[in-house]
Amino acid sequence: MPDLAPTVAVIGGGQLARMLAEPAATLGVPLRLLAEAEGVSAAQVIPDTIVGDHRDLEALRKVTSGATVVTFDHEHVPTDHLHALAEAGVAVRPAPEALVHAQDKAVMRERLESLGLPCPRWAVVRTTAEVEAFGLPCVLKTTRGGYDGRGVWVVRSLPDAEEAFRAAGEAGVQVLAEELVDFRRELAALVARSPSGQAAAYPVVASTQLDGICHEVVAPAPELDPGLATHAQQVALTIAKELDVVGVLAVELFETRDGRVLVNELAMRPHNSGHWTQDGAVTSQFENHLRAVLDLPLGSPAPRERWTVMVNILGGPSDHVGRLYDGYQHALARDPRLRVHLYGKELRPGRKVGHVNACGDDLEDCLERARHAAAWFRGDLGDESE
């Protein structure tokens, strides 16, 4: 009989859970999945799958029964349910006391401010009059439930604010106002932390967004002042320690034009800004997340090559549906060093369905290779044969 390794329960059947499967197999750690439907991305590669709603406490109890630890593909599990699991003796990682800071933006802002960490000016607002008093232009966000640009509005006039309040009212959440930061670019600092307190910090990366969705990541961030890079890593490590985060923590940052960083968002799970680590780092964010939640020694976050560029593959034209796999023939023949990761998801315009990683010593070459491949998979390049 083989040794029985600890089972890790994973809530949510998206691509992040899917990408935990490979390092779990390497580590010999079984995964048990709570998927929202049959055949979703992670369910295609994790045999031990239960279909259920992450808002259903009984479904959560079922998937965590006998598991050593539970972790997450997303942050949307109700906080009260997580407390109930913890009270029943389930190791919830990250714990609900930590995860709430990624679930509720107002809670996050208040806590980071109390720690003296750099944040944009912010306030919870209840009326358009309070938005006006806060100052325009500004950014309005629902405090809970937003992701990939959803639940975020750039408001330049008071009528623009009405949609935010309407959406928040329908969801039963608050509205957060933040200053519209005049930033040079967006950065991300990714760290992993174990229950014993060991932490590993990956190189700070630069990310670009397309319609609120992470589109491209360059690791490490080009021309980033070394002192500012170290400061960004220290901010992420401080947040992980002070909030007692277990697992991967992604801290999205603004690099301001006067040479500072401001914390934009938090994610307490593997994150799109860390997908480059699958092929560009000694230990991927997915393996280190599993190591962290199991309190195993963390792996090295050091880069394998000088540069890694990650470009997301987003669903393209409707007439390209069903042809995603066909992109392999061209992309892999053109660039044998390219690494392609597809999520097994149905194509819809703008939906993240995969990503490509290109590594090497020449940044411009990596950018061209990754951008070309992603465009080919999207169907943007027609039938060109190059």
Side-chain angles (χ1 to χ4, degrees), residues 23-375:
T26 300
L27 292 168
V29 173
L31 301 181
R32 183 184 303 143
L33 180 71
L34 181 65
E36 54 273 25
E38 298 280 355
V40 294
S41 180
Q44 298 168 21
V45 297
I46 300 176
D48 188 0
T49 293
I50 296 169
V51 175
D53 192 323
H54 64 268
R55 296 164 296 186
D56 180 354
L57 181 56
E58 290 310 308
L60 295 171
R61 292 190 192 280
K62 183 177 180 181
V63 77
T64 57
S65 177
T68 301
V69 62
V70 60
T71 192
F72 309 96
D73 170 86
H74 59 72
E75 292 102 341
H76 304 311
V77 180
T79 307
D80 290 346
H81 289 0
L82 298 180
H83 281 291
L85 293 178
E87 290 166 4
V90 178
V92 180
R93 293 176 177 164
E97 295 85 356
L99 191 61
V100 68
H101 297 89
Q103 294 174 321
D104 191 307
K105 294 179 176 62
V107 172
M108 179 264 289
R109 285 286 177 229
E110 185 174 4
R111 181 73 170 116
L112 296 188
E113 187 175 80
S114 74
L115 294 171
L117 295 172
C119 294
R121 185 172 61 89
W122 67 278
V124 173
V125 291
R126 297 167 182 81
T127 64
T128 54
E130 290 185 0
V131 174
E132 185 175 29
F134 180 82
L136 297 176
C138 68
V139 176
L140 297 184
K141 301 178 178 180
T142 53
T143 53
R144 285 178 175 259
Y147 66 97
D148 282 350
R150 298 176 178 88
V152 179
W153 297 264
V154 176
V155 173
R156 302 185 186 277
S157 64
L158 287 184
D160 295 339
E162 294 174 0
E163 183 180 351
F165 285 107
R166 183 167 54 252
E170 291 172 355
V173 298
Q174 294 179 301
V175 175
L176 186 76
E178 295 180 352
E179 67 175 296
L180 184 60
V181 177
D182 180 24
F183 59 88
R184 177 191 172 203
R185 59 180 171 176
E186 294 185 66
L187 305 173
L190 192 80
V191 299
R193 182 176 179 273
S194 66
S196 59
Q198 185 189 7
Y202 289 91
V204 177
V205 303
S207 66
T208 57
Q209 315 299 312
L210 181 65
D211 297 327
I213 299 174
C214 180
H215 169 61
E216 185 174 287
V217 170
V218 178
E223 300 178 0
L224 179 61
D225 178 81
L228 192 61
T230 299
H231 174 60
Q233 289 177 316
Q234 286 298 328
V235 167
L237 289 167
T238 297
I239 293 171
K241 178 181 177 181
E242 295 297 329
L243 273 54
D244 198 19
V245 177
V246 172
V248 164
L249 168 71
V251 181
E252 298 180 59
L253 301 156
F254 295 125
E255 180 186 1
T256 64
R257 298 190 188 281
D258 59 357
R260 298 175 297 136
V261 291
L262 300 174
V263 177
N264 179 23
E265 303 274 2
L266 302 181
M268 295 183 191
R269 51 171 169 74
H271 189 256
N272 206 160
S273 65
H275 288 357
W276 71 273
T277 65
Q278 287 177 291
D279 307 298
V282 174
T283 312
S284 77
Q285 65 165 342
F286 298 99
E287 180 171 343
N288 260 341
H289 186 74
L290 286 173
R291 290 192 188 201
V293 300
L294 290 167
D295 207 12
L296 296 173
L298 299 179
S300 170
R304 291 182 179 275
E305 300 201 45
R306 177 70 183 91
W307 300 103
T308 301
V309 173
M310 188 286 303
V311 178
N312 273 326
I313 301 170
L314 303 179
S318 58
D319 62 359
H320 196 61
V321 172
R323 293 177 48 204
L324 193 61
Y325 183 84
D326 297 345
Y328 277 128
Q329 188 69 27
H330 168 88
L332 299 184
R334 183 180 190 268
D335 186 358
R337 296 185 63 208
L338 185 77
R339 303 293 295 178
V340 182
H341 303 268
L342 298 182
Y343 306 155
K345 298 168 85 171
E346 180 183 349
L347 282 104
R348 293 198 297 265
R351 187 186 198 189
K352 285 187 284 191
V353 293
H355 67 272
V356 297
N357 286 330
C359 306
D361 294 327
D362 186 308
L363 177 56
E364 291 305 315
D365 177 65
C366 291
L367 286 165
E368 190 280 330
R369 289 161 53 209
R371 289 169 176 171
H372 179 98

